[in-house]
């Protein structure tokens, strides 16, 4: 092994949260755990490892932490709130506290950034910005050290060497994983490889052009050439594997508040011909509102999270293919192309006179927010890298896991989102423009993610964990790849890394049952008493009287199902949720409610604290549900529970004007 000289990291932090005060930090080059990638997953991983008593260094290649969570994706992709646990859930609870709610899944970028920075400050995690991995020194299946260079001034003179016992790659690209020589794949597997049906080439109906949109510069004249953005590729047979990567875009935070908006002006490299297909689409299928061109999810303070919607939108189809394995310079060029395309898209809609007037007027209501991204001209520096490298690890998550046909026993987090892939290419099919690659298939409940899917194969590396570019097929990754899930996997990876250090073992040898217990019993990594969740599927803790029916995957339900009782106004019917109180004290109690057609607008609740009963009539009409799901936690009060006394919360049919839904009850220790 080469001798590695100690050194000092000198870091100039120009982050907005430090009010542009110059600060230098002297940092050792030897750590217990190095986390590479300051995504939300990386922040949670670093915080967890530090809370577990380890020395930690978080290396962020850019100059802003949080990845997409602070980079514009403020309208969270959830799938099912039941799936979100631990510090990931704590993050959304902290967001809720900021906005005066119990928990909230919709937030402004700077709010998310401040919360994540608070985690790092609280744990005193050392962070280095603008350094990126360029090599890894390995021996006998272990990473001994990595070399990082200064992204702002790349030079061998600024290179730094850092040493750790355990490494966690939380980047969207999997660069540390690749430098360590761990196997990975890029693109879409053939359906045959893992016995899947939604992988490989897919020509489907979502985000698709209507028939008849001409692809040629001069309509009906192939010799004139294809319009910008259309590939000359031939459509592959359905399910055929290929190296095309699903498209990226930029989740842009825009403002509709005139007092907090900067006008959208013509960007550099503006080329209106890039948007010719949009005009042809409008000609073929008139578009009534701007929301039909791009998703404009509302966020607090008159801001929006802009995302792709429809056949021609903010997705820059076909430009992502070379990104995963591109050099840092090539990636920077791809990101710049996305910035110019996206800004040009907004400008084109707002100013090109060929765009219908109603759409132009709607677009001109938006501007770049003055109070966001102060160091980058009020525009995010994070591209939505939906998928890059994916590790081929000890276990590969597949479509069978998503749909519950195969269930692992070493689960260390849950996923619940639809199998979601954006289009990968735009090409000519039967003389018409068509998009290929979009898949949106759901209808399944939360499912466990294997610990083995974040570990490399034992013969390749024994001290690396990969919670973001984890081991999954393309279509399974499309379900897993959500920010709340990445945060949970980051926490799990940190727990595993610390256990590997403590037990002097390889990450593949970590006792998963003990790891699961640690995640369950110390979910906030601070030794606090865990909250108690009683879900309707916890049959040992739920007692039913009446004709209750279990409704799997009910729209908006919490967990795999909810209970439904159609016996209108039958006071004797109840679903009783009994917590196992392990610590005497005050508990704030919440009931999960789902709004559904035909359901009662009132919910009668009986709370027994072991001594007396309290009755509450909950008016469901007063409950507002925000975000992607149809359910919300509703506070019903603070109660004192004693370990030796039997307590319960019953949801009854009394005074019900429709069917009664019973789903879950939450007890949070004060």
């Amino acid at each position: 092994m080469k001798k590695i000289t100690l050194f000092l990291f000198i870091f100039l932090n120009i982050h907005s949260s430090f009010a542009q005060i110059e600060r230098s930090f002297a940092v050792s080059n030897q750590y217990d755990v190095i986390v590479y990638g300051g995504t939300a997953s990386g922040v949670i991983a670093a915080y967890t490892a530090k809370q577990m008593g380890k020395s930690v260094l978080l290396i962020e290649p850019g100059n802003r932490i949080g990845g997409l969570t602070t980079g514009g994706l403020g309208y969270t992709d959830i799938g099912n709130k039941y799936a979100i646990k631990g510090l990931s859930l704590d993050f959304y609870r902290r967001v809720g506290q900021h906005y005066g709610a119990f928990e909230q899944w919709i937030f402004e970028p700077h709010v998310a950034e401040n919360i994540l920075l608070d985690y790092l400050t609280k744990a005193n995690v050392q962070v280095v910005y603008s350094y990126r991995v360029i090599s890894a020194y390995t021996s006998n299946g272990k990473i001994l050290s990595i070399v990082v260079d200064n992204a702002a001034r790349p030079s061998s003179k600024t290179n730094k060497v850092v040493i750790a016992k355990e490494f966690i790659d939380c980047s969207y690209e999997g660069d540390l994983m690749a430098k360590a020589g761990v196997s990975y794949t890029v693109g879409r597997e053939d359906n045959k490889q893992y016995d899947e049906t939604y992988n490989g080439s897919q020509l489907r109906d979502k985000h698709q052009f209507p028939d008849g949109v001409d692809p040629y510069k001069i309509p009906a004249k192939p010799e004139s050439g294809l319009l910008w953005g259309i590939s000359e590729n031939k459509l592959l047979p359905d399910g055929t594997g290929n190296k095309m990567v699903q498209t990226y875009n930029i989740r842009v935070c825009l403002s509709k508040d005139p007092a907090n908006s900067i006008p959208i002006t013509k960007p550099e490299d503006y080329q209106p011909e890039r948007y010719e297909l949009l005009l042809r689409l409008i000609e073929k299928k008139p578009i009534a509102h701007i929301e039909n061109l791009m998703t404009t999810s509302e966020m607090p303070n008159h801001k929006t999270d802009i995302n792709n919607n429809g056949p021609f939108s903010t997705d820059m189809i076909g430009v992502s293919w070379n990104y995963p394995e591109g050099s840092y310079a090539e990636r920077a060029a791809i990101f710049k192309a996305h910035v110019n395309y996206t800004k040009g898209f907004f400008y084109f809609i707002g100013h090109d006179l060929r765009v219908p007037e109603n759409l132009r007027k709607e677009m001109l209501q938006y501007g770049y927010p003055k109070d966001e991204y102060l160091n980058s001209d009020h525009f995010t520096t994070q591209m939505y890298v939906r998928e890059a490298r994916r590790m081929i690890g000890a276990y590969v998550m597949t479509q069978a896991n998503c749909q519950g046909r195969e269930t692992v026993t070493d689960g260390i987090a849950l996923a619940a989102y639809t199998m979601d892939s954006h289009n990968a290419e735009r090409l000519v099919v039967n003389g018409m423009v068509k998009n290929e690659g979009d898949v949106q298939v759901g209808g399944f409940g939360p499912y466990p993610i294997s610990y083995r899917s974040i570990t490399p194969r034992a013969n390749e590396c024994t001290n690396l964990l990969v919670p973001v570019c984890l081991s999954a097929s393309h279509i399974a990754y499309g379900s897993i790849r959500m920010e709340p899930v990445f945060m949970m996997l980051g926490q799990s990876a940190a727990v595993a890394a610390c256990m590997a250090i403590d037990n002097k073992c390889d990450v593949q040898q970590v006792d998963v049952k003990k790891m699961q217990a640690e995640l369950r019993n110390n979910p906030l990594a601070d030794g606090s008493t865990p909250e108690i969740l009683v879900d309707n599927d916890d049959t040992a803790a739920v007692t039913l009287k009446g004709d209750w029916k279990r409704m799997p995957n009910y729209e908006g339900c919490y967990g795999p199902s909810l209970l439904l009782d159609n016996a209108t106004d039958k006071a004797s019917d109840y679903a009783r949720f009994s917590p196992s109180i392990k610590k005497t004290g005050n508990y704030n109690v919440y009931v999960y409610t789902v709004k559904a057609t035909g359901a009662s607008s009132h919910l009668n609740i009986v709370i027994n604290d072991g001594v007396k009963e309290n009755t509450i009539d909950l008016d469901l009409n007063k409950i507002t549900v925000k975000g992607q799901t149809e359910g919300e936690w509703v506070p019903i009060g603070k109660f004192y529970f004693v370990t030796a006394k039997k307590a319960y919360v019953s949801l009854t049919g009394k005074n019900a004007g429709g069917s009664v839904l019973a789903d879950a009850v939450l007890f949070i220790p004060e």
Side-chain angles (χ1 to χ4, degrees):
M1 172 179 172
K2 297 178 181 178
K3 182 179 179 182
I4 301 179
T5 306
L6 295 177
F7 66 93
L8 291 179
F9 255 140
I10 304 299
F11 167 58
L12 175 64
N13 191 332
I14 59 171
H15 201 276
S16 61
S17 296
F18 287 85
Q20 298 183 355
I21 298 173
E22 294 185 3
R23 299 186 181 190
S24 297
F25 296 94
V27 182
S28 165
N29 77 321
Q30 293 184 307
Y31 300 87
D32 291 323
V33 179
I34 286 179
V35 179
Y36 183 75
T39 59
S41 177
V43 171
I44 295 301
Y47 172 81
T48 302
K50 192 67 188 299
Q51 287 288 95
M52 295 184 73
K54 303 298 182 264
S55 59
V56 180
L57 176 66
L58 174 61
I59 303 174
E60 164 51 36
N63 57 17
R64 183 185 179 93
I65 57 104
L68 280 161
T69 297
T70 63
L73 203 166
Y75 197 87
T76 308
D77 297 312
I78 308 168
N80 192 311
K81 293 177 182 177
Y82 172 87
I84 314 306
K85 313 288 186 184
L87 287 167
S88 179
L89 180 57
D90 183 65
F91 169 81
Y92 296 100
R93 296 267 175 87
R94 293 190 187 201
V95 171
Q97 290 170 15
H98 175 84
Y99 291 111
F102 171 53
E103 63 186 28
Q104 186 158 312
W105 309 83
I106 306 170
F107 49 83
E108 299 159 271
H110 76 273
V111 171
E113 181 185 21
N114 289 338
I115 292 171
L116 291 175
L117 283 170
D118 187 61
Y119 280 112
L120 298 175
T121 301
K122 178 182 177 182
N124 194 26
V125 174
Q126 296 175 353
V127 187
V128 171
Y129 293 85
S130 297
Y131 273 86
R132 57 201 184 183
V133 64
I134 57 174
S135 64
Y137 183 74
T138 63
S139 179
N140 298 321
K142 284 188 179 291
I143 304 172
L144 300 181
S145 64
I146 63 173
V147 180
V148 293
D149 75 352
N150 187 316
R153 300 180 301 277
S155 165
S156 59
K157 294 180 180 179
T158 63
N159 289 356
K160 306 296 181 184
V161 180
V162 280
I163 304 166
K165 298 172 183 176
E166 301 291 332
F167 294 83
I168 305 175
D169 187 345
C170 289
S171 67
Y172 292 122
E173 295 82 7
D175 287 335
L176 175 54
M177 170 189 72
K179 297 296 184 185
V182 172
S183 297
Y184 63 86
T185 187
V186 173
R188 300 176 289 179
E189 295 93 346
D190 196 287
N191 268 332
K192 297 175 183 176
Q193 184 167 345
Y194 296 118
D195 192 24
E196 297 176 308
T197 54
Y198 299 116
N199 214 328
S201 179
Q202 297 283 329
L203 187 68
R204 299 170 69 85
D205 60 335
K206 296 292 192 299
H207 301 289
Q208 186 58 272
F209 282 93
D211 288 348
V213 177
D214 194 288
Y216 303 111
K217 292 179 180 177
I218 301 175
K221 291 189 177 295
E223 63 273 17
S224 66
L226 295 169
L227 289 175
W228 182 91
I230 301 175
S231 168
E232 295 182 353
N233 289 341
K234 301 298 181 184
L235 178 65
L236 295 170
D238 186 74
T240 302
N242 54 80
K243 294 299 181 182
M244 300 174 196
V245 177
Q246 66 169 307
T247 189
Y248 304 160
N249 74 340
I250 297 176
R251 296 290 288 258
V252 183
C253 178
L254 296 180
S255 172
K256 292 186 75 173
D257 179 2
N260 190 37
S261 294
I262 298 171
I264 296 172
T265 56
K266 183 188 296 185
E268 59 180 274
D269 191 34
Y270 176 66
Q271 299 179 36
E273 59 268 24
R274 290 174 177 160
Y275 314 102
E276 183 68 30
L277 263 178
L278 176 58
L279 299 176
R280 298 212 181 162
L281 172 64
I282 294 172
E283 181 181 349
K284 181 63 63 175
K285 185 180 179 180
I287 295 173
H289 299 288
I290 200 78
E291 289 80 7
N292 303 119
L293 284 179
M294 54 188 180
T295 301
T296 57
S297 301
E298 293 187 5
M299 296 198 299
N301 296 316
H302 309 288
K303 294 175 186 173
T304 58
D305 170 0
I306 302 294
N307 195 16
N308 185 78
N309 187 28
F312 192 97
S313 186
T314 61
D315 275 5
M316 198 175 185
I317 297 176
V319 184
S320 57
W321 300 349
N322 294 329
Y323 182 88
E325 298 187 279
S327 66
Y328 291 125
E330 290 169 332
R331 288 181 184 168
I334 292 171
F335 172 68
K336 184 64 175 176
H338 278 78
V339 171
N340 288 337
Y341 170 81
T342 306
K343 290 184 174 181
F345 179 72
F346 296 153
Y347 182 82
F348 181 86
I349 296 171
H351 295 85
D352 197 294
L353 297 179
R354 295 172 294 174
V355 175
E357 184 180 12
N358 66 307
L359 297 179
R360 281 185 277 130
K361 286 183 176 179
E362 287 186 45
M363 187 70 238
L364 291 175
Q365 295 176 19
Y366 294 93
Y368 301 120
K370 291 180 180 178
D371 61 345
E372 300 286 356
Y373 307 113
L374 304 183
N375 291 334
S376 55
D377 295 326
H378 309 282
F379 197 85
T380 181
T381 56
Q382 178 64 60
M383 184 164 60
Y384 194 171
V385 180
R386 292 189 172 97
E387 182 180 336
R389 298 181 177 101
R390 300 189 313 280
M391 180 171 64
I392 303 175
Y395 181 87
V396 180
M397 298 289 294
T398 69
Q399 181 181 329
N401 296 104
C402 300
Q403 296 179 322
R405 291 181 284 109
E406 184 174 326
T407 304
V408 300
T409 59
D410 63 340
I412 39 86
L414 295 173
Y417 203 75
T418 296
M419 290 183 289
D420 182 326
S421 171
H422 281 235
N423 283 301
E425 61 176 334
R426 179 175 287 145
L427 69 177
V428 180
V429 179
N430 298 326
M432 302 177 288
V433 182
K434 292 292 175 184
N435 292 333
E436 181 275 306
D438 188 276
V439 178
Q440 298 175 51
V441 179
F444 45 83
Y447 60 92
I449 302 169
S450 171
Y451 171 61
R452 290 165 290 159
S453 69
I454 69 170
T455 67
R457 291 180 288 199
N459 65 336
E460 291 189 342
C461 190
T462 59
N463 66 335
L464 172 69
L465 293 139
V466 186
V468 175
C469 294
L470 74 159
S471 181
S473 71
H474 158 72
I475 200 60
Y477 192 82
S479 170
I480 295 169
R481 62 171 181 84
M482 305 303 155
E483 290 290 286
V485 179
F486 285 155
M487 283 191 254
M488 288 189 293
L489 291 171
Q491 181 175 0
S492 299
V495 171
C498 295
M499 291 178 68
I501 292 171
D502 292 343
N503 294 291
K504 297 181 173 58
C505 69
D506 299 340
V507 295
Q508 292 84 0
Q509 298 171 334
V510 166
D511 188 324
V512 177
K513 290 191 181 300
K514 289 184 179 179
M515 180 183 170
Q516 292 169 329
E518 173 67 19
L519 292 167
R520 181 173 59 252
N521 298 328
N522 190 18
L524 302 186
D526 61 1
S528 59
T529 302
E531 62 189 41
I532 303 168
L533 170 68
V534 184
D535 183 65
N536 69 279
D537 283 297
D538 300 334
T539 54
V542 178
T543 305
L544 303 177
K545 182 181 179 182
D547 188 23
W548 293 90
K549 295 179 181 176
R550 182 178 182 272
M551 308 295 290
N553 300 321
Y554 194 92
E555 181 69 26
C557 73
Y558 193 83
S561 72
L562 55 68
L563 299 170
L564 183 148
D565 183 6
N566 281 319
T568 302
D569 198 20
K570 193 170 182 180
S572 61
D573 285 8
Y574 62 76
R576 179 168 295 170
F577 297 74
S578 301
S580 177
I581 302 295
K582 297 179 180 178
K583 183 178 181 180
T584 297
N586 286 318
Y587 287 77
N588 291 300
V589 181
Y590 295 79
V591 170
Y592 196 78
T593 61
V594 175
K595 288 199 170 185
T597 303
S600 174
S601 60
H602 287 266
L603 184 61
N604 181 260
I605 304 171
V606 177
I607 306 101
N608 189 314
D609 61 9
V611 177
K612 62 182 184 298
E613 283 192 349
N614 298 273
T615 302
I616 296 173
D617 184 58
L618 193 63
D619 185 355
L620 299 181
N621 290 321
K622 295 181 179 180
I623 297 169
T624 301
V625 178
K626 297 180 180 180
Q628 292 184 346
T629 66
E630 300 299 320
E632 200 75 54
W633 286 113
V634 178
I636 60 173
K638 183 193 299 182
F639 302 90
Y640 189 80
F641 295 109
V642 180
T643 56
K645 307 235 181 213
K646 278 199 168 183
Y648 61 78
V649 173
S650 291
L651 311 183
T652 84
K654 183 180 179 181
N655 299 326
S659 56
V660 179
L661 304 179
D663 201 344
V665 180
L666 187 62
F667 303 80
I668 301 181
E670 190 174 49

